[in-house]
Amino acid sequence: MKRTLIIALAFLGMQSASAKDWTVTEVKTIITKVNDTWQQNHPKQERSFWDPAVYHTGNMEAAKYMNNRKWYRYSYDWAEQNLWQGARETDNTKWKYKTYGEGHQFVLFGDWQICFQTYIDLYNSPLAPSDKEFMVKRAKEVMGFEAYSDASDYWWWADALYMVMPVMTKMYKLTGDKQYLTKMHDNWLYANSIMYDKKTGLYFRDGKYVFPKHTTAAGKKDFWARGDGWVVAAFAKILQDLPKDDANRKEYIKYYKKIVKGVAACQQAEGYWTRSMMDAEQAPGRETSGTALFAYGIQWGINNGILSKKYQKVVDKAWEYLATIALQPDGTVGYVQPIGEKAIPGQVVNQKSVTNFGTGAFLLAACEYARHLEKK
C-alpha cells in the first residue's frame, strides 16, 4: 500500500512538472502554424453555411490579433465567392427557420446567418474598400427582417446562440438600431425557456434532450459539450459589443457566470471535456471543439474582468490539452467530434478527426490565451 502511494505521488509530481509556462511568442507560433496549415490544405473556398463560417470567425480573430493581411484576404475571398450572403432565397414569404435546413429557403435559420459575423468584421477591416455597403447589404436585409418580425422562436437549439447572438450585437454597432438588441433578448429568452437547466446553469442541446425526457445510458443529464461551448463563446462575443448601459447586460453576465461555474465542474483531469459533460462514460475520451470554445469563452471573461481569476487554472489545463495533445505535429487540430448534435456512444474521435469549425474554435482560444499571457 505504501509503495503504491509513493508511486502515485511521484506520478502526480511528474504531471505537475510537465505543465509548462507558455510564452506569447510560443502561442503566436502555434496560431501561425495552425492557420497557415489550414489555408494551405484548403485553397478552395466553401459555402457560407455554419461549419466553414465558424472557421472564419476564428480566422478573423487570428487576422486581427496577428495583423495578418493574408488571412483577412482568405475570408474576403470566401465572402466574395458566397456573394456576401447566407441562404439566397429572395422572396421573404418563403424564408424558413423552424426546422433544420441546408436549402436556400432557410434564410432565417441561424446556421445560414453566422456568415454575417465575418462579413461585418470584413466591413470594418483593413481590406474594406471606401464604397463598402455591398458587404453588409444582405445582412441588413435578413437580420432587419428578423429584428422587426413578430416571432421570437428563432433559436431552438443551443448552437444558434453562437451563430446569431453576435450577429445581433454587430448589427447594432453597424446601424445603431437598438431593435437588434431587443430581438436578441427576446430570442434568447425563448431559447432559455426550452433548453436551459436552472440547477446546473447549463443548456441542453435542444428540447429533445431535456432531462428527464432524455438521459444518458446511465440515467444522467446529457449536456453536450460542443453545444454548451457555443453558448459560453456566445456570451463572450456579445459582451464585447453590447453597450455597457444595456438594460439586459447584467442578466447576460449572470447567466454567463452560472454556465461557466457548471462547465468548470465537468472538466476532465487532462484538461478536456467529454462529449457528454456530466457522464464521461456516455462517450469517453478527448474532444477538442467543446474544449476550445470553453477555453475561449472563459479566458475572455477573465481577461476582461467579468469572470473570477480562479477560473484561470481551468483555462490553463484546457490550453495544455489543446496545445500538446489536440494540436498535431503537422499543424492540424485533432480530436474534434464530427458534425452532430449529441454525444454518440462508440463514435471514434481521434487525432485524425480534423474539421473546419474545430480549427476555428482552436484559433479563438489561442488568440485569447495569448492576450492573457500578454497581460502577465
Side-chain angles (χ1 to χ4, degrees):
M1 178 69 181
K2 185 176 180 180
R3 182 171 180 274
T4 302
L5 179 61
I6 292 172
I7 292 172
L9 288 171
F11 177 68
L12 288 172
M14 287 170 62
Q15 280 190 312
S16 177
S18 68
K20 73 188 294 308
D21 290 325
W22 292 87
T23 67
V24 176
T25 299
E26 287 172 328
V27 178
K28 284 184 173 181
T29 299
I30 288 174
I31 293 168
T32 300
K33 183 172 184 177
V34 167
N35 212 20
D36 280 347
T37 296
W38 181 265
Q39 294 185 16
Q40 288 163 10
N41 290 343
H42 300 84
K44 184 178 179 181
Q45 293 289 356
E46 300 177 272
R47 61 181 177 162
S48 54
F49 203 50
W50 78 268
D51 49 320
V54 169
Y55 164 75
H56 285 279
T57 64
N59 179 54
M60 290 295 290
E61 189 72 22
K64 180 181 177 181
Y65 178 64
M66 301 286 283
N67 192 26
N68 189 313
R69 197 174 183 90
K70 178 170 68 76
W71 294 347
Y72 276 124
R73 174 54 63 181
Y74 187 81
S75 284
Y76 195 100
D77 291 345
W78 171 72
E80 278 201 318
Q81 174 179 294
N82 289 293
L83 307 178
W84 302 90
Q85 298 186 52
R88 299 181 189 177
E89 174 60 55
T90 57
D91 182 353
N92 63 26
T93 66
K94 297 179 181 178
W95 290 358
K96 299 179 181 181
Y97 68 90
K98 292 192 175 184
T99 60
Y100 176 88
E102 298 187 30
H104 282 283
Q105 289 184 324
F106 285 84
V107 176
L108 299 174
F109 179 47
D111 285 5
W112 277 116
Q113 296 176 330
I114 179 178
C115 59
F116 297 139
Q117 291 188 41
T118 294
Y119 301 167
I120 295 169
D121 288 347
L122 286 167
Y123 177 92
N124 294 313
S125 79
L127 266 61
S130 56
D131 182 12
K132 57 184 182 178
E133 184 62 22
F134 69 91
M135 304 168 81
V136 294
K137 182 180 178 182
R138 181 63 168 178
K140 287 181 176 180
E141 178 187 11
V142 171
M143 302 315 299
F145 180 93
E146 181 169 328
Y148 282 90
S149 68
D150 293 332
S152 59
D153 58 348
Y154 290 100
W155 304 341
W156 48 265
W157 73 115
D159 317 32
L161 301 191
Y162 182 81
M163 308 303 160
V164 198
M165 287 184 80
V167 176
M168 290 299 200
T169 51
K170 289 177 186 294
M171 288 300 299
Y172 163 72
K173 288 191 72 176
L174 179 70
T175 66
D177 187 348
K178 289 191 175 181
Q179 181 60 27
Y180 288 106
L181 304 183
T182 299
K183 179 60 70 172
M184 178 176 75
H185 189 254
D186 290 345
N187 288 354
W188 174 67
L189 289 178
Y190 173 77
N192 287 356
S193 74
I194 62 172
M195 54 190 160
Y196 181 70
D197 184 62
K198 293 180 180 179
K199 186 172 183 179
T200 62
L202 301 174
Y203 284 72
F204 295 105
R205 194 273 179 175
D206 61 53
K208 298 192 302 292
Y209 298 100
V210 173
F211 182 88
K213 179 173 66 176
H214 168 86
T215 69
T216 66
K220 299 180 181 180
K221 291 181 177 180
D222 193 8
F223 295 106
W224 182 46
R226 187 156 72 231
D228 277 279
W230 296 129
V231 179
V232 173
F235 281 128
K237 280 212 158 207
I238 67 164
L239 290 171
Q240 297 175 38
D241 291 332
L242 197 67
K244 293 292 191 289
D245 62 352
D246 182 82
N248 301 308
R249 185 178 178 88
K250 289 183 179 179
E251 185 181 14
Y252 292 130
I253 290 175
K254 176 184 174 182
Y255 277 74
Y256 180 35
K257 289 181 175 179
K258 190 167 183 182
I259 191 173
V260 166
K261 181 179 179 181
V263 165
C266 300
Q267 188 178 31
Q268 301 299 303
E270 198 176 48
Y272 63 85
W273 280 261
T274 51
R275 284 161 276 175
S276 183
M277 292 168 64
M278 297 187 76
D279 189 350
E281 297 308 310
Q282 178 74 356
R286 300 162 175 162
E287 203 288 308
T288 296
S289 60
T291 300
L293 291 166
F294 290 143
Y296 163 70
I298 298 172
Q299 188 67 77
W300 185 90
I302 298 168
N303 287 353
N304 290 276
I306 295 175
L307 296 179
S308 169
K309 291 182 179 179
K310 71 181 181 181
Y311 291 116
Q312 189 57 55
K313 61 184 179 181
V314 174
V315 185
D316 289 343
K317 284 173 63 178
W319 175 250
E320 194 72 18
Y321 160 77
L322 291 169
T324 65
I325 297 174
L327 177 60
Q328 302 304 302
D330 64 357
T332 60
V333 177
Y335 295 102
V336 179
Q337 183 188 5
I339 290 174
E341 62 177 46
K342 61 182 178 181
I344 303 173
Q347 183 181 45
V348 175
V349 176
N350 58 31
Q351 66 270 30
K352 294 182 180 179
S353 302
V354 179
T355 70
N356 44 17
F357 59 86
T359 304
F362 182 97
L363 292 170
L364 289 170
C367 291
E368 207 55 45
Y369 198 68
R371 293 187 180 103
H372 155 67
L373 295 176
E374 287 179 345
K375 286 176 174 284
K376 288 177 66 179

